[in-house]
Amino acid sequence: MTTSLPLKWRRNAAKASRQDQHFLALVLDAWSSRHSVGPVSFAISIATGIGAGAAGVALQMASRWPAVPLAVQVGIGATAGVLAMIATRQRFASQKARHAAAMALASSFLEASRDCVKLLDLQGHMLRINDYGATLMEASSPVELEGADWLGFWKGDDHDAAMAAFKCALGGTAASFRGSCTTTAGQPKWWDSQLIPIKDHNGKVIAVVCASLDISNQTRLHAELRTKSELMSEMEAHVQLAFFSYSANFEYFHYITAGSSNVFGIDREELLRNPNGWLDLVVPEDRVALQAEMGRMMAESSEGRAQYRIRKADGTVHWLRGTGYPVLDDNGNVLRIVGIVEDVTAEQERIAELDRLAYTDSLTGLANRAALLREIESRCAARKPFGLMFVDLDRFKVLNDTLGHLAADHLLRDVGGVIRGSLPDDAYVARLGGDEFAVLIGGVVDKAGLEALAQALLGSLSANRLQGGAGAFITASIGISVYPEHGSDHDALLSSADVAMYTAKKMGRNGYQFAGEEAARTIGDFELERDVPEALTTNQFFLHFQTIHEPHSLAVHSAEALIRWRHPARGLISPSDFIPLLEETGFVSDVGVWVLDHALRQLAAWRQASAMNLGISVNVSARQLGSEQIVRDVGRALKQYGIPPGKLEIELTETALMKNPQQAQKSIVELKRLGVRIAIDDFGTGYSSLMYLADFAPHTVKIDRHFTSKIEHDPTTQTIVEGIIGLAHKLGIKVIAEGVENAAQLDILRRVNCDYVQGFLLSEPQAPEGLMKQRA
C-alpha cells in the first residue's frame, strides 16, 4: 500500500528545490562572470542586428555598384539584417542550452558533495546553504539558516581563524582554516573549511562561497590515537619493560620500544644498530642457559622464557625476565620473534628478602630451623662428609626465670655471636629455637678435629658472662653426629646429635658426646612414636591377662590386663620399650582408653561364659589421672559393656599420684563414687607410700616384686612385708603380692596372711583363651 506525503511536506520540498536552483544559478552566474539573457535584451539584440545589417549592405552596394537602385540596395540590406538576426538568435539559444547544462552539472555536484556549502554575503550572512549542509548543521531545512550570521557560530580562537579567512576571501584570495563550531542543536563539530571569493566581470568580490568538510570523526580518532601514543610514551618512559620484534634468527630487531633504555640501559637506536648489544651485558653465569633457551625457541618454534642477570654500564646488576613468542607463516616457519623483556630486580629483591625472613632467626640473625634443614639436605645431596653439632645451653630455664625474658634474649644473642666467633668461617650456625643451636662443619669431619672445635666452643661459652646477670656463667652440652656415619638425612642426623647432647647433660653438662648406640635406640623410639597412631587404627595392640589368685586355694580372683604391641616390621615389642614412650609423647591417654574398652569387653565375654565373680584390673597413667576425662571414660565403658563397677579395679602407680596430687585425689573420689575399686601399684618403692594410704584410702595395695623377690632370704624384707600387710588390714585394705615365682615365696605370703598373690609361679600373662582354660 502506498501512502502519499502530506501536502505541507510536498510544498516544503518543492520550495527547497526552487531555492537550491536559485542558489546554483547565483553561483554559476558569479563563477562564469555572465548574466542571464532576458527578453528585453534579446529584443534589443535582434533590432540592433537587423539595423546594422541593412545599413552595412546598403553602404557596400553604393560603393561597389552605384547603378543599383536604392530600393534594391535597401531590400538586400534588410535581408542581410534578417539573416544576422537569425544568427544572433541561434547564438543566444546555444548559450542558453550551455547554461542549462551547466546548471544540471552543478546541481549534480551539489547533490553528490559531502561538504556543507554556503553562499555568504559581504557581511558574512548565509544567503543559502545546500541541503546536505543543512543536515550536517542539524537544521530542519536550508530555510532555517537563511540570513544566519556564519561568523557567529565560531567561538574563541576558532572565531578568530574564521574571521581571518573570511577577510582574506573578501580581499579576493581563497583561504582555508580548521576549527570547531556547534550545530543548531548545540552539538560541537570539527570542520575543514575553504572560503572562495566570487567576483563580477570587473573583478569585484560580490559574495563568498564556503565549503566545509565535517572532520569530527577524523579529529576524534586522531585525538584518541594521540592520547594512546602519549600514554604509550609515558608508559615506556616509566615502566621497566620493553616490547620487541626480533628476526627469526635473533640477528636484528624489526622494532623495539623506547623502554629498552629503562631495561638494558641502551637506547633503542643503539639496539637497532647493534642488536646483540644487550646480550653482551648478560653475566657469564647466566649467558649459556639464556642462549640455549633462544636456540630451543628457534629449533622447536615454541614459546620461550628466561630469567637472567645483566650488568649495566654503571656496574649495577639487574634481574631481567624475557618471554618470546614465535610468529609462524602458513608453512609453520618462524617469521619473527615477538615478546617482552621486563626488569624484575625489585621482585627478586622482595623474594630474597622474604627468603631471608623465612630462613632467618629474628632474635639472633642466625639461620633458623627451616634454613638448617634445607642446608643439611643440600649437603646430603652433595654426598660429602660433614659434621653436625647440637648445642643446648645448660640451666637456661633457671636463667630465664631468674633474670627475665629480656636478659635471656640478650644472652641468646650473645651466645649466637660467641658460637659464630669460635668456629671456622665456613661453619653454618643456626638457632633451632629456645636455647638450642646447631652448627654444620664441612672442613673438619674427623673425630679429633670435631672434638677440638667442641672444646674451643665450650671454652668460649664458659668465658662469656651475661651482662647485667650477676656474672652468670654460660655452659652448654653438645651432641655431635657425622654424615653419613650417623644418618643420611636431616631427621637421622639431628636425632643422633640430639640424643648425644642429652647424654652429655646426663654426664654432668658442660661437655660433648658423639652419637652412638644410645642415639640409635632413641631414633628407634622416634620411629615407634611415629607408628603409634597407625598401630591404634590397624589393631597392632592387643591384651594379655595375668591372673591374681587366693594364696591358699589358688582360686582365680581377678586378672590384670597387660598391653602388648606386635609391630608389622619389628615384631613383638616389649612393654618396657614402648610404654615410657607413650607416657612421654602423650599417646598414653589414647592407648589407655583403648585398654579400658578392650579389657571390659573381654570381661563381659567371660561373664557371659559363666565367670560372674571374676574381676579385672586396668593400669591408668599419670596423664590420664590428671584429667577429669578418666571419670567419664570409665563411666561410659562400664555402661557400654554392662560391668558392675565393683568388678573393675583401677591400678595407680606412686608416680601417677605424685604428678598432680590434688587432681589425682579429685579423680579418685569421683571414681569411688562410681563404685570402682582403687589399687596402688608398686607399693613400698616410693618415698610417701604411707601418706598415700591416708590421703587416697585405696581398696588395695600391691607389694612390689622387689620385696617379693627377697622375702625368702632377707628377714628384714620379710618383716617389712609382714608389717605392710598388718597395717593394711588394720586400715581395711586388701594386699596383693606381685612377682611370686617359687613355692617358698608363696608359703611365706600364706603365713603372713597376704590376701592375694600374682606371679609366674601361678600364671604367666596369656591370651584370653588360655585364662578360661586355666579356670576350667
Side-chain angles (χ1 to χ4, degrees):
M1 181 176 68
T2 302
T3 304
S4 61
L5 295 172
L7 179 60
K8 180 179 179 181
W9 287 12
R10 293 199 301 273
R11 289 175 177 173
N12 288 340
K15 182 179 179 182
S17 178
R18 289 194 301 273
Q19 289 172 339
D20 282 345
Q21 292 172 3
H22 177 61
F23 175 38
L24 289 170
L26 289 173
V27 173
L28 284 172
D29 184 60
W31 282 353
S32 65
S33 298
R34 294 186 176 90
H35 299 285
S36 300
V37 181
V40 176
S41 298
F42 182 70
I44 293 174
S45 298
I46 292 175
T48 303
I50 292 174
V57 171
L59 288 174
Q60 289 180 3
M61 291 183 68
S63 63
R64 294 184 180 182
W65 300 288
V68 178
L70 178 61
V72 173
Q73 293 179 11
V74 171
I76 293 173
T79 301
V82 170
L83 292 174
M85 176 193 71
I86 293 171
T88 300
R89 183 173 182 178
Q90 288 176 345
R91 180 171 60 83
F92 274 103
S94 176
Q95 179 181 349
K96 185 176 181 181
R98 288 196 301 273
H99 184 73
M103 286 284 289
L105 179 60
S107 178
S108 299
F109 280 147
L110 282 176
E111 290 177 1
S113 175
R114 297 294 89 185
D115 289 353
C116 175
V117 183
K118 302 165 285 293
L119 181 64
L120 308 178
D121 64 14
L122 300 182
Q123 287 73 42
H125 295 93
M126 286 189 240
L127 298 175
R128 185 63 183 143
I129 184 172
N130 65 337
D131 278 349
Y132 187 72
T135 301
L136 292 177
M137 287 297 291
E138 298 185 293
S140 58
S141 71
V143 178
E144 182 180 345
L145 294 173
E146 285 186 4
D149 181 10
W150 174 75
L151 291 170
F153 283 92
W154 307 94
K155 306 297 180 184
D157 293 340
D158 294 330
H159 179 273
D160 295 341
M163 178 62 77
F166 184 68
K167 288 182 178 180
C168 188
L170 292 180
T173 303
S176 62
F177 74 99
R178 180 171 292 182
S180 173
C181 77
T182 57
T183 66
T184 58
Q187 179 71 24
K189 287 189 176 184
W190 279 87
W191 308 88
D192 193 354
S193 299
Q194 185 175 14
L195 282 79
I196 304 170
I198 299 177
K199 303 176 183 178
D200 61 11
H201 59 283
N202 295 320
K204 180 181 178 181
V205 176
I206 60 174
V208 174
V209 171
C210 176
S212 300
L213 178 64
D214 184 354
I215 60 171
S216 299
N217 289 336
Q218 297 93 313
T219 303
R220 183 173 57 256
L221 290 174
H222 179 72
E224 291 177 357
L225 289 174
R226 184 173 63 250
T227 300
K228 291 180 179 179
S229 178
E230 292 174 352
L231 178 60
M232 288 300 296
S233 298
E234 292 174 358
M235 290 175 62
E236 289 183 12
H238 294 91
V239 300
Q240 300 294 314
L241 55 84
F243 296 93
F244 64 84
S245 176
Y246 231 137
S247 63
N249 53 7
F250 292 102
E251 289 185 352
Y252 60 87
F253 285 107
H254 299 116
Y255 174 78
I256 187 168
T257 61
S260 62
S261 179
N262 295 331
V263 175
F264 298 107
I266 304 176
D267 292 338
R268 172 173 52 190
E269 293 73 17
E270 176 62 25
L271 283 175
L272 292 175
R273 289 193 299 269
N274 180 17
N276 288 325
W278 67 273
L279 193 57
D280 296 335
L281 303 178
V282 179
V283 299
E285 297 86 352
D286 297 348
R287 190 175 300 161
V288 174
L290 173 61
Q291 290 178 321
E293 179 65 3
M294 294 167 65
R296 187 198 62 77
M297 287 180 61
M298 291 189 294
E300 299 179 4
S301 301
S302 62
E303 174 186 332
R305 297 176 182 272
Q307 190 159 291
Y308 52 92
R309 292 164 293 171
I310 64 169
R311 188 179 300 278
K312 291 188 177 181
D314 60 3
T316 59
V317 176
H318 291 253
W319 278 94
L320 303 185
R321 180 187 296 138
T323 305
Y325 305 91
V327 178
L328 309 179
D329 61 15
D330 294 338
N331 297 322
N333 300 316
V334 179
L335 294 174
R336 56 188 172 274
I337 305 291
V338 299
I340 183 174
V341 179
E342 56 182 324
D343 189 319
V344 293
T345 303
E347 176 183 331
Q348 288 298 313
E349 289 175 349
R350 286 194 298 270
I351 292 174
E353 178 61 15
L354 290 174
D355 184 82
R356 187 190 68 80
L357 293 174
Y359 293 101
T360 301
D361 176 57
S362 59
L363 178 63
T364 62
L366 300 173
N368 61 12
R369 176 181 288 272
L372 178 71
L373 299 183
R374 184 175 62 173
E375 182 66 19
I376 293 176
E377 288 303 312
S378 175
R379 297 194 181 199
C380 289
R383 299 185 181 278
K384 292 183 179 180
F386 63 91
L388 168 63
M389 291 185 180
F390 196 106
V391 183
D392 186 272
L393 302 186
D394 297 329
R395 301 180 301 109
F396 179 74
K397 186 177 185 304
V398 176
L399 291 173
N400 190 37
D401 294 342
T402 304
L403 302 175
H405 295 296
L406 292 178
D409 288 346
H410 185 82
L411 167 64
L412 291 173
R413 284 191 290 268
D414 284 351
V415 168
V418 170
I419 294 175
R420 183 181 290 163
S422 303
L423 298 172
D425 293 338
D426 64 346
Y428 188 92
V429 184
R431 177 176 175 242
L432 303 182
D435 62 336
E436 296 178 342
F437 296 82
V439 182
L440 297 180
I441 306 293
V444 179
V445 294
D446 62 290
K447 185 174 182 180
L450 291 172
E451 283 182 340
L453 292 176
Q455 289 172 347
L457 176 55
L458 291 174
S460 296
L461 289 173
S462 298
N464 184 54
R465 289 176 179 267
L466 175 61
Q467 297 180 6
F473 285 100
I474 302 171
T475 63
S477 299
I478 302 175
I480 306 172
S481 61
V482 178
Y483 171 86
E485 180 181 350
H486 299 123
S488 59
D489 57 25
H490 63 79
D491 283 335
L493 290 169
L494 279 172
S495 297
S496 298
D498 192 13
V499 173
M501 181 272 295
Y502 277 110
T503 302
K505 281 192 179 295
K506 291 178 182 178
M507 297 182 68
R509 298 186 176 90
N510 194 25
Y512 62 88
Q513 287 291 320
F514 280 85
E517 293 183 1
E518 186 175 350
R521 287 195 300 270
T522 302
I523 293 172
D525 289 343
F526 288 157
E527 293 175 349
L528 284 180
E529 176 185 339
R530 181 190 59 197
D531 295 341
V532 169
E534 183 179 359
L536 281 169
T537 57
T538 58
N539 296 319
Q540 295 178 23
F541 290 115
F542 61 96
L543 293 181
H544 273 182
F545 298 89
Q546 187 175 34
T547 52
I548 299 172
H549 299 257
E550 196 280 330
H552 296 282
S553 64
L554 300 183
V556 176
H557 170 264
S558 59
E560 180 181 2
L562 302 170
I563 188 170
R564 297 291 185 264
W565 185 359
R566 182 176 288 107
H567 193 278
R570 299 174 60 174
L572 194 62
I573 300 174
S574 171
S576 62
D577 290 335
F578 71 82
I579 288 180
L581 173 66
L582 295 178
E583 292 177 345
E584 290 177 6
T585 59
F587 285 122
V588 70
S589 296
D590 295 330
V591 175
V593 173
W594 182 93
V595 171
L596 177 67
D597 279 320
H598 284 71
L600 293 183
R601 179 187 301 169
Q602 184 58 60
L603 181 59
W606 284 333
R607 289 172 63 82
Q608 289 180 356
S610 74
M612 300 300 294
N613 294 325
L614 189 64
I616 197 81
S617 297
V618 175
N619 291 275
V620 170
S621 68
R623 187 179 293 270
Q624 288 176 280
L625 193 62
S627 170
E628 297 178 358
Q629 183 64 35
I630 182 63
V631 180
R632 292 190 288 270
D633 290 336
V634 169
R636 174 196 54 79
L638 290 172
K639 292 180 181 179
Q640 180 176 351
Y641 299 108
I643 303 299
K647 294 300 179 181
L648 172 63
E649 190 162 74
I650 299 295
E651 294 192 10
L652 307 171
T653 64
E654 292 189 70
T655 302
L657 297 172
M658 289 174 62
K659 285 286 185 181
N660 188 345
Q662 291 79 15
Q663 181 60 45
Q665 189 169 32
K666 183 178 179 181
S667 298
I668 290 172
V669 169
E670 295 299 323
L671 289 171
K672 285 182 176 181
R673 287 179 180 173
L674 290 177
V676 174
R677 296 177 61 82
I678 303 297
I680 296 180
D681 198 7
D682 301 331
F683 187 80
T685 58
Y687 298 99
S688 305
S689 299
L690 295 179
M691 181 189 71
Y692 295 142
L693 295 180
D695 290 346
F696 301 110
H699 299 90
T700 304
V701 294
K702 299 185 74 173
I703 298 175
D704 187 74
R705 66 183 64 250
H706 172 76
F707 294 103
T708 305
S709 65
K710 297 165 60 177
I711 194 172
E712 60 177 315
H713 304 295
D714 185 359
T716 302
T717 300
Q718 183 175 335
T719 302
I720 292 173
V721 171
E722 188 174 0
I724 292 174
I725 295 173
L727 177 62
H729 286 172
K730 288 183 179 180
L731 295 174
I733 299 174
K734 299 292 185 180
V735 179
I736 300 174
E738 294 183 299
V740 178
E741 297 182 356
N742 56 57
Q745 294 170 351
L746 178 59
D747 289 339
I748 294 172
L749 291 171
R750 286 172 175 168
R751 288 201 307 268
V752 297
N753 295 319
C754 185
D755 298 290
Y756 303 104
V757 290
Q758 178 181 0
F760 283 3
L761 175 65
L762 305 169
S763 172
E764 293 184 4
Q766 56 190 305
E769 299 79 12
L771 187 142
M772 290 304 293
K773 291 178 181 179
Q774 180 180 351
R775 288 190 74 253

